[in-house]
Amino acid sequence: MSSPNKHTSSRLASTDTLHVVWCFGGIIGSLVLYGVLQERIMQSPFDGEPFTHSLALVLANRLVACAVALSLSLYHGHPLAPQAPLTSFAAVSLSNVAATFCQYEALRHVSFAAQTLGKCAKMLPVMLWGRVMLGKRYAARDAARAAAVTLGCAAFVGANRAGAVSPAAAGLSSAATNHASTPWGLTLMAAYLTVDGFTSTFQARLFALHAPTLPNQVLYVAATSALLALAGLVAKGELRPALAFFAAHPRALGAAALLALAATAGQLFITHAIRRHGALLVAAAMTTRQFLSILLSGLLFGHSFSAQQYAAACVVFGGYACVSDLGGGSEAKGWKGGVNVEGFLS
Ligand SMILES: Nc1ncnc2c1ncn2[C@@H]1O[C@H](COP(=O)(O)OS(=O)(=O)O)[C@@H](OP(=O)(O)O)[C@H]1O
């Protein structure tokens, strides 16, 4: 007969498994919707007039995130004062904005396909930053899982036939192009991956050190990003033209509002997952997103997949399937300022 302790721990493990599935679903769902809406606004003109002020969308996204985070704080009766040093929130915001800048800039110098492929490597910098910033040591089992997900996704995405999926279907920005990759573009992609890994690991560290509530972190990070976006818009003289565009095209305003809601959902799911399960799980979810977007698009639009892609898909799912003990491998929960030996999904 199994002991009550065993029952309790297996119930906890299955609750955590469900929570991981919830976080994966939330991150992937909101970011795919975000990509499609972004594509709609940036690629299709409104009444014949194209919208060109992408920074205005960033501002709108972050303002809506602030409003939602503020409402959540008020609803739950959380204190509104910053629960961590403002410099820490600013560091998250700055590195997040820098990652966004690098990936947009990289698209001018690498193909969309190359960028999608490069994004499959998100887990590697997160593991390196975890070692440097959190003193984490990853067991060989976890490194093997990360390798399976990364290599499986890369093999699947790399084998994708050109044109079989659009940037929108992949949930990515419309700036996608098909030119050859240059060394500068690859440098920008490396910078994007490095800074992106820093952002989420720093967020995990922030949760571990100061334990801010979820809305508190989202509020102050989004507010800093909103200020940065506003400064950029003013400096480029784009604030008035962007507002005039929305006034003249209410459909664009509606699409931007939906986009901001999707972006806010993405921010909340990402930050919540980092807080509960750690940065590596989020990197795994975002890597899987590249793969699932292409898989879903192929299934929806009847594209066939090669034998290599089926094999790669098995490797990815195998990477998850061998996870037998999901238990919330959270940097935030487990980190005590020193060495932390925890699995990314265990
Ligand atoms: N750690 C963390 N915290 C908060 N927000 C984050 C984080 N990582 C990614 N993001 C935001 O998610 C949006 C998609 O990012 P990516 O393009 O890097 O993701 S993906 O790999 O293509 O899925 C993108 O939104 P925008 O900046 O509005 O485009 C990212 O800023």
Side-chain angles (χ1 to χ4, degrees), residues 31 34 38 58 61-62 92 96 100 103-104 119 122 171-172 192 196 199-200 203 221 263 266-267 270-271 274 282 286-287 289-290:
L31 289 186
Y34 173 67
Q38 196 181 42
V58 177
N61 294 348
R62 300 311 193 260
V92 174
N96 178 232
T100 298
Q103 75 158 305
Y104 274 82
K119 283 185 165 190
K122 274 193 170 208
L172 292 169
Y192 158 74
D196 179 74
T199 309
S200 46
Q203 280 169 298
V221 171
Q267 295 271 324
I270 289 171
T271 314
I274 289 175
V282 169
M286 287 167 118
T287 304
R289 159 169 125 77
Q290 314 298 335

Side-chain angles (χ1 to χ4, degrees), residues 149-177:
V149 175
T150 301
L151 294 175
C153 284
F156 188 92
V157 172
N160 196 48
R161 288 175 302 120
V165 64
S166 74
L172 292 169
S173 127
S174 60
T177 52

